[in-house]
Amino acid sequence: MQGSTEVRTTRRGLARGIDAVRGPTLSATIAVMCRSFSSSLIVWLVAAWGCSRASGPQVAPGSGNTQTAGPTVRVYQLDGFYYDRLSQEQDGPFDPPANSLRRWPVLEETLVTDERFAAEFRAAVDDPSNFGGNASDCFWPGMGIAVGDGVDRIDLVICLQCNLANQYKKGNVLEQRPLSERGRQEFARLYTAAFPGQPNPSR
């Protein structure tokens, strides 16, 4: 009987020893599996987020909206009295300077990178209500707008003093467009926003 008791005692001790070893080993194994799964899940989520960013709409820096970019917009500050000054010094004809827009000297040029701001320029050029007023018999443009590139580019050379804009499409096709009062105010506002601190060309 004593031998049987010793055997049972030994077996119980051995079982407890095995359970003692199995417990932490199993816990460690589960912990490793959980960490591995979590890491894989994080990698998958990051990859999915990157794909959605790459395929989503591109937003211009600082625009704060989800509009897709339209045709490029450039705004020009022009020297509208250039040829008047030359004519007082010499007889014409006169060649335009190297940096010019439709023969008018460019003092400063701005590429509009904010899509919301660019959309305002495109809308102003396309809005028929900005045109159709009465123009004066003069032309000293202080502002220019270019929308698009290549053969589809539209150039608008604007004299706010005379309420007149020369519009060029498809190369050198010229259309004179008198400004409405609404159009004069809108283009003056856009000019001031594009060239802050610069004199308003309508004065």
Side-chain angles (χ1 to χ4, degrees):
M1 294 295 292
Q2 183 179 359
S4 299
T5 301
E6 291 176 354
V7 170
R8 285 196 297 272
T9 301
T10 302
R11 288 177 178 174
R12 283 197 297 271
L14 181 60
R16 284 196 296 270
I18 293 174
D19 290 339
V21 173
R22 182 186 300 167
T25 302
L26 181 59
S27 299
T29 301
I30 294 174
V32 170
M33 292 176 64
C34 288
R35 285 196 298 270
S36 177
F37 175 77
S38 299
S39 299
S40 299
L41 180 61
I42 292 172
V43 170
W44 183 86
L45 290 174
V46 170
W49 177 80
C51 290
S52 66
R53 290 273 294 179
S55 60
Q58 301 301 308
V59 181
S63 65
N65 62 42
T66 57
Q67 295 179 349
T68 55
T72 58
V73 174
R74 292 176 175 83
V75 189
Y76 301 86
Q77 182 185 10
L78 304 178
D79 183 357
F81 297 100
Y82 175 77
Y83 293 106
D84 282 357
R85 291 195 305 272
L86 283 183
S87 64
Q88 295 175 5
E89 300 171 358
Q90 55 184 300
D91 295 330
F94 307 110
D95 293 327
N99 187 19
S100 61
L101 176 67
R102 300 298 176 175
R103 296 184 58 85
W104 295 99
V106 174
L107 301 177
E108 187 173 347
E109 175 182 351
T110 296
L111 174 64
V112 182
T113 57
D114 187 304
E115 177 54 29
R116 288 181 299 183
F117 194 27
E120 292 184 40
F121 277 95
R122 290 192 290 266
V125 172
D126 293 337
D127 189 351
S129 66
N130 286 334
F131 305 92
N134 296 318
S136 301
D137 188 17
C138 62
F139 196 64
W140 301 303
M143 178 183 186
I145 302 173
V147 178
D149 295 292
V151 295
D152 295 326
R153 170 168 163 160
I154 298 174
D155 290 338
L156 199 66
V157 180
I158 305 170
C159 178
L160 295 178
Q161 291 178 314
C162 308
N163 288 342
L164 183 62
N166 286 348
Q167 180 170 296
Y168 300 83
K169 289 183 177 180
K170 302 295 183 181
N172 294 317
V173 177
L174 170 64
E175 178 186 2
Q176 289 192 325
R177 308 186 69 184
L179 302 179
S180 64
E181 179 58 26
R182 180 185 186 278
R184 190 187 71 82
Q185 294 178 2
E186 178 65 2
F187 287 118
R189 180 188 70 82
L190 293 172
Y191 178 92
T192 302
F195 302 108
Q198 296 293 328
N200 191 312
S202 63
R203 296 188 179 93

